Amino acid sequence: MSEKIPLAGVIGSPVAHSKSPLLHRHWLERYGIRGYYVPMDVAQVDLKSVLAALPRMGFVGVNVTIPHKETILGLADLVSDRAALIGAANTLIFRADGKVHADNTDGIGFIENLRQGAPGWDPAAGPAAVLGAGGAARAVIAALSEQGVREIRVSNRTRSRAEALRAEFGPKIVVHDWVQAGGMIEGAATVVNTTSLGMVGKSEFRVPLDALRPGMVVSDLVYTPLETAFLAEARARGCIAVDGLGMLLHQAAPGFERWFGRRPEVDHAARAVLLAG
Ligand code: NAP
């Protein structure tokens, strides 16, 4: 009797830095699932042929990372609404009928992390202030909008990228100039850094934070270091600070569930695996 062992992985280039294999292997082992999750360095030129071959090799799906997250949309047979809205996919499901389904779970990961780190978070509590307008910002804004946040203030160094978000997401997006980024925090209920500022090896985070008030929910997508200067100051000012590692964990859970048939837990043990890796 032949038993099919499900295979999954992550495709990107470079891919060696990805923490996804550590996490998925932890979950596979923890739940006693016979399956494998492997990193695969795939060049842009090979993407199409690799995508055609993987399902035939026993793969049930893959995560997609830099630089293929946008290109992959054009190669998938089905694209979820949220992946289309965000303009990128991070999770592929190889369906039994041969079709490749592209999804984006970054937004879900962001919201689940926020709800876990700030259980009383209420989308209707007031405006959200989002720093940055790159790929991660798109996922965050789409998710905040879907949750019912009525006003989303956006500030980005390159203003035109923030304006483009307004054109796509509509009038609930209010663009603030980058030099006034600190000012848009005034009266916000949720504040999110989606820029790479404050990340190890990147520029320092220097946005003025005087407008932060106790009780505001503040999240940083940067998770190296785990406690960024932005989060440390937010915490010192009495805000509820939510680090970015949980987003990485939560965005991985839906893919694992679809491929291996079990919803994995995002808890201390899973966090510890990423922190140690
Ligand atoms: P991206 O598309 O390259 O966007 C980078 C953003 O950072 C842009 O808004 C960019 O502004 C801004 N930025 C970069 N350097 C800056 C500087 N010196 N001054 C002001 N703004 C600057 O990258 P991304 O994919 O959105 O990722 C952004 C960050 O989120 C990264 O640190 C990434 O690791 C993190 N992230 C975390 C998770 C998670 O699971 N926690 C998920 C996704 C991303 P311009 O438009 O002006 O260049």
Side-chain angles (χ1 to χ4, degrees):
M1 217 169 74
S2 75
E3 184 202 352
K4 276 207 166 166
I5 297 176
L7 309 176
V10 51
I11 55 175
S13 189
V15 82
H17 67 283
S18 173
K19 289 184 186 256
S20 296
L22 281 175
L23 179 61
H24 286 276
R25 285 174 191 165
H26 160 77
W27 281 332
L28 285 169
E29 196 174 315
R30 180 166 169 180
Y31 302 121
I33 297 171
R34 285 189 72 201
Y36 292 94
Y37 186 101
V38 289
M40 292 171 278
D41 198 319
V42 177
Q44 192 88 29
V45 55
D46 296 325
L47 200 54
K48 194 173 176 183
S49 53
V50 166
L51 206 59
L54 285 174
R56 288 189 228 135
M57 293 161 61
F59 278 81
V60 288
V62 286
N63 284 125
V64 184
T65 188
I66 289 168
H68 305 317
K69 289 174 90 163
E70 289 85 18
T71 324
I72 207 78
L73 289 185
L75 298 174
D77 300 301
L78 300 151
V79 175
S80 70
D81 289 347
R82 59 192 180 208
L85 189 64
I86 295 166
N90 68 347
T91 305
L92 300 183
I93 294 129
F94 302 149
R95 298 185 354 173
D97 63 4
K99 296 213 184 312
V100 174
H101 181 207
D103 195 8
N104 194 312
T105 62
D106 276 341
I108 308 173
F110 169 72
I111 295 294
E112 296 279 317
N113 184 39
L114 211 59
R115 291 201 183 280
Q116 192 172 35
W121 181 70
D122 175 9
V130 176
L131 300 159
R138 297 180 73 89
V140 165
I141 289 167
L144 288 171
S145 174
E146 194 184 75
Q147 292 295 310
V149 177
R150 282 191 285 274
E151 179 186 336
I152 305 171
R153 304 167 180 172
V154 182
S155 183
N156 192 51
R157 176 180 62 176
T158 309
R159 190 181 163 108
S160 56
R161 285 182 99 182
E163 300 282 7
L165 290 174
R166 183 183 157 83
E168 273 180 66
F169 289 88
K172 69 168 66 160
I173 306 291
V174 182
V175 177
H176 289 248
D177 216 66
W178 183 241
V179 289
Q180 285 149 10
M184 77 168 178
I185 293 171
E186 187 84 50
T190 313
V191 185
V192 189
N193 174 41
T194 75
T195 74
S196 50
L197 291 173
M199 189 174 161
V200 172
K202 303 279 179 179
S203 303
E204 251 175 74
F205 183 96
R206 287 221 184 88
V207 175
L209 297 173
D210 329 28
L212 286 178
R213 293 287 174 269
M216 285 182 178
V217 174
V218 174
S219 184
D220 200 338
L221 264 53
V222 172
Y223 55 84
T224 47
L226 194 57
E227 181 79 343
T228 59
F230 171 51
L231 283 187
E233 182 155 353
R235 227 182 278 280
R237 289 176 182 273
C239 303
I240 301 154
V242 183
D243 70 55
L245 193 67
M247 176 172 168
L248 188 68
L249 288 153
H250 281 288
Q251 62 79 30
F256 187 92
E257 185 176 14
R258 289 295 295 269
W259 304 325
F260 299 116
R262 166 152 192 171
R263 183 80 179 179
E265 275 136 296
V266 174
D267 56 10
H268 286 296
R271 269 177 81 86
V273 167
L274 292 194
L275 287 172

